[in-house]
Amino acid sequence: MSTSASRRVGRPRAQERPVSGLAPREEVLAAAAELFTTRGYTATSTRTIAEGAGMRQASLYHYFDGKEAILAELLEGTVRPSLDTARLLVARTEAAPEARLWALCHSDATLLCGGPHNLGALYLLPEVRTEGFAVFHRVRAELKACYAELLAATESGAGLGPEDLVLRADLVFGLTESVILIRRAEPGRDPSTLATATADAALRVAGVAQRSVSRLRREGQSLLAAGN
């Protein structure tokens, strides 16, 4: 065993966490997610996060440079899976773009409202505007661009001018992310029901006729069930 590996195995802990099966880095993220969403980002220190993860504060810095880096990784985790899904759906050109848009909205909303902590509520923190969150903003912008691409391929989107298309994409994207606020106000809402209602509403905002929504929902569900 190397010296480096020996240090990692022997890293002292300040206290024992319940057996979670998580690696130390994931324990830090889990503890931070809970603290940031319950106590607030500003009120949470790296010492408190380390204690929540069952390790010494010095050990936390083995995994992250500081609190900002932890928040950045948590926020990136709220958009990267959706971007992966979005890219797959954009490539599925044999399926109706409206159904693919429904699937993206549903998948994205499910991610945002289905986790143990409402991390999306941290999007509006003033700290998130700084350079340390550039990757999060870039990935989120790429995700939004996929929304716009799918919208432009729909029958209603194809008839929009450039400015109107940008505005409509903003509205669809914003509607999907609004589950963050709904979850904060009513944390007991069923995530699956909320995601389905959000995706249905997103199609209506996109310009799809109400009579077509049920059919497109079924097609979108099939896409998700097939792994996009």
Side-chain angles (χ1 to χ4, degrees):
M1 182 179 295
S2 68
T3 302
S4 174
S6 297
R7 286 199 193 101
R8 184 170 299 184
V9 171
R11 194 171 302 282
R13 288 176 172 267
Q15 62 187 55
E16 290 298 323
R17 277 176 62 84
V19 177
S20 63
L22 297 175
R25 181 185 180 86
E26 298 305 313
E27 286 182 340
V28 171
L29 290 170
E34 179 178 359
L35 290 164
F36 289 163
T37 54
T38 55
R39 297 190 185 183
Y41 178 73
T42 303
T44 300
S45 66
T46 53
R47 180 181 297 278
T48 307
I49 296 171
E51 290 174 352
M55 64 177 64
R56 298 182 186 278
Q57 186 178 18
S59 298
L60 180 148
Y61 290 105
H62 175 73
Y63 304 103
F64 295 97
D65 291 340
K67 189 169 70 168
E68 182 180 278
I70 297 171
L71 177 60
E73 181 150 338
L74 286 171
L75 293 185
E76 288 167 31
T78 68
V79 289
R80 284 192 184 280
S82 291
L83 178 58
D84 291 341
T85 297
R87 286 170 172 163
L88 291 170
L89 288 167
V90 167
R92 290 290 303 271
T93 54
E94 79 284 359
E98 292 85 354
R100 289 182 281 150
L101 182 60
W102 186 96
L104 176 55
C105 293
H106 187 280
S107 177
D108 199 6
T110 298
L111 179 67
L112 290 170
C113 66
H117 307 292
N118 191 11
L119 292 171
L122 304 174
Y123 283 9
L124 298 180
L125 286 172
E127 291 84 357
V128 178
R129 302 171 191 166
T130 63
E131 182 61 28
F133 298 89
V135 174
F136 162 68
H137 290 297
R138 175 179 59 76
V139 176
R140 185 166 174 259
E142 291 178 13
L143 173 60
K144 186 176 176 181
C146 289
Y147 272 82
E149 185 171 351
L150 288 174
L151 176 61
T154 65
E155 183 177 353
S156 55
L160 297 174
E163 291 186 5
D164 288 336
L165 181 62
V166 169
L167 176 58
R168 192 71 62 88
D170 283 344
L171 291 171
V172 172
F173 188 64
L175 173 62
T176 303
E177 288 196 339
S178 71
V179 298
I180 295 166
L181 301 178
I182 296 173
R183 183 181 181 188
R184 183 168 63 181
E186 298 183 54
R189 288 258 191 171
D190 176 61
S192 178
T193 301
L194 180 55
T196 298
T198 299
D200 285 358
L203 286 191
R204 297 291 289 123
V205 171
V208 174
Q210 180 63 48
R211 64 178 179 276
S212 300
V213 171
S214 294
R215 172 178 57 81
L216 293 168
R217 182 196 309 133
R218 290 193 297 272
E219 292 179 17
Q221 289 170 333
S222 295
L223 285 169
L224 292 175
N228 309 324

